[in-house]
Amino acid sequence: EPEVTQTPSHQVTQMGQEVILRCVPISNHLYFYWYRQILGQKVEFLVSFYNNEISEKSEIFDDQFSVERPDGSNFTLKIRSTKLEDSAMYFCASSSTGGASGANVLTFGAGSRLTVL
Amino acid sequence: QKEVEQNSGPLSVPEGAIASLNCTYSDRGSQSFFWYRQYSGKSPELIMFIYSNGDKEDGRFTAQLNKASQYVSLLIRDSQPSDSATYLCAVREGGGFKTIFGAGTRLFVKA
C-alpha cells in the first residue's frame, strides 16, 4: 500500500538551530500538508501546498517556517532558529484531491519527533 | 475561530459492546467529515469519511452526520481491545484546503 515517508524519525537540536524535516508524499498525490502535534495536544494544521506554492497556512506558520518541494518527490519543512516550544511531532500528509471538491482524505506519514533543547 | 469539539474521555466499554463517539463543529460551510484513529505515539489513520447527511457504514463502523445540528458521530460495534486508541474527529473547512482536528476521545475496550 502506498505510504508517506518521513525522515528523520527523531531529531534533537539546540535552541536557535535550523532543522529540515523531509517527506516523500504518495507519488500520485497532488496536495501536501504539514501538521504538528505537541505532546498530549491536538493535531494542528500548519500549511498546505499545491502546484508548487502554499495554498493555505495557519497562524502558527510564521516567518520561522518555510516549505519547499525541491524536486519531484520530496516535500520539506524548514524551521529556522528553533525555540523550545517547537518541540513536537511533525506529520507530513498528502491527498489526491483538495480544494473545493473531493473528500480530501489525508494520508499521514509516521511523523518526525523534534526535540529542542 | 473554527472549532471541532470532542469529549476527551476516556470512554470505557466492555469487549463486544457498542462504543459511541461524538463530535460537533462550528463551521457551517464544512464540506467533509472524517474519523481518524491514533494509537499512542503513532500517526492518525483514516477510519472513514462522510459528506452527506445520514449514516455511512463500513464493517463494524458507522459514521453519522447531521449538518443542521453540526454533529458527527462514530459507532463502533462489537468493540475489540485492539480498538483502544484515541479517535480524532476532523472537518474540512468549506472552500479551503485546511482539515482541522478535534482533540480526540480516548477509548478503552476492556477484555
Side-chain angles (χ1 to χ4, degrees):
Chain A
E1 186 169 324
E3 60 180 24
V4 176
T5 304
Q6 290 187 242
T7 55
S9 57
H10 189 192
Q11 179 152 0
V12 180
T13 190
Q14 294 293 322
M15 191 169 53
Q17 296 297 303
E18 175 183 286
V19 298
I20 297 177
L21 306 179
R22 293 181 168 80
C23 170
V24 179
I26 293 173
S27 61
N28 64 346
H29 284 185
L30 302 176
Y31 300 83
F32 314 119
Y33 311 82
W34 283 101
Y35 283 79
R36 79 172 185 190
Q37 187 174 33
I38 295 170
L39 187 64
Q41 298 187 25
K42 64 172 66 175
V43 175
E44 299 176 289
F45 172 82
L46 292 178
V47 65
S48 60
F49 192 87
Y50 170 69
N51 199 25
N52 282 319
E53 61 182 20
I54 290 174
S55 48
E56 191 165 356
K57 61 183 181 179
S58 73
E59 315 77 55
I60 303 169
F61 194 89
D62 59 19
D63 292 343
Q64 183 194 6
F65 295 89
S66 62
V67 289
E68 192 177 34
R69 189 158 163 82
D71 53 42
S73 60
N74 290 285
F75 178 51
T76 63
L77 174 69
K78 181 188 290 186
I79 309 175
R80 286 180 282 276
S81 188
T82 49
K83 298 175 280 195
L84 296 177
E85 54 264 39
D86 294 329
S87 295
M89 181 74 91
Y90 289 81
F91 292 112
C92 175
S94 67
S95 66
S96 58
T97 59
S101 64
N104 197 36
V105 173
L106 302 177
T107 301
F108 286 86
S112 293
R113 179 167 298 285
L114 176 64
T115 301
V116 182
L117 302 177
Chain B
Q1 180 81 351
K2 296 171 183 174
E3 298 283 346
V4 177
E5 299 288 343
Q6 295 181 257
N7 187 325
S8 62
L11 173 65
S12 184
V13 300
E15 183 175 359
I18 295 175
S20 178
L21 305 163
N22 306 311
C23 169
T24 59
Y25 60 94
S26 63
D27 179 15
R28 283 198 170 273
S30 298
Q31 302 283 332
S32 309
F33 308 85
F34 308 84
W35 285 99
Y36 286 83
R37 177 174 60 198
Q38 186 176 32
Y39 292 109
S40 181
K42 303 295 186 182
S43 59
E45 54 179 345
L46 181 74
I47 298 173
M48 61 193 305
F49 65 87
I50 185 169
Y51 36 76
S52 300
N53 275 326
D55 295 358
K56 180 181 178 182
E57 187 174 317
D58 184 0
R60 296 186 297 113
F61 300 95
T62 298
Q64 299 173 314
L65 173 62
N66 184 325
K67 290 186 177 181
S69 300
Q70 295 174 245
Y71 176 88
V72 196
S73 67
L74 179 71
L75 298 177
I76 306 174
R77 288 180 298 280
D78 188 24
S79 296
Q80 301 296 308
S82 58
D83 294 328
S84 297
T86 297
Y87 287 79
L88 310 178
C89 175
V91 175
R92 177 158 156 266
E93 292 184 341
F97 294 84
K98 184 190 301 184
T99 299
I100 58 175
F101 286 77
T105 299
R106 293 184 67 192
L107 172 67
F108 290 105
V109 181
K110 299 173 292 185

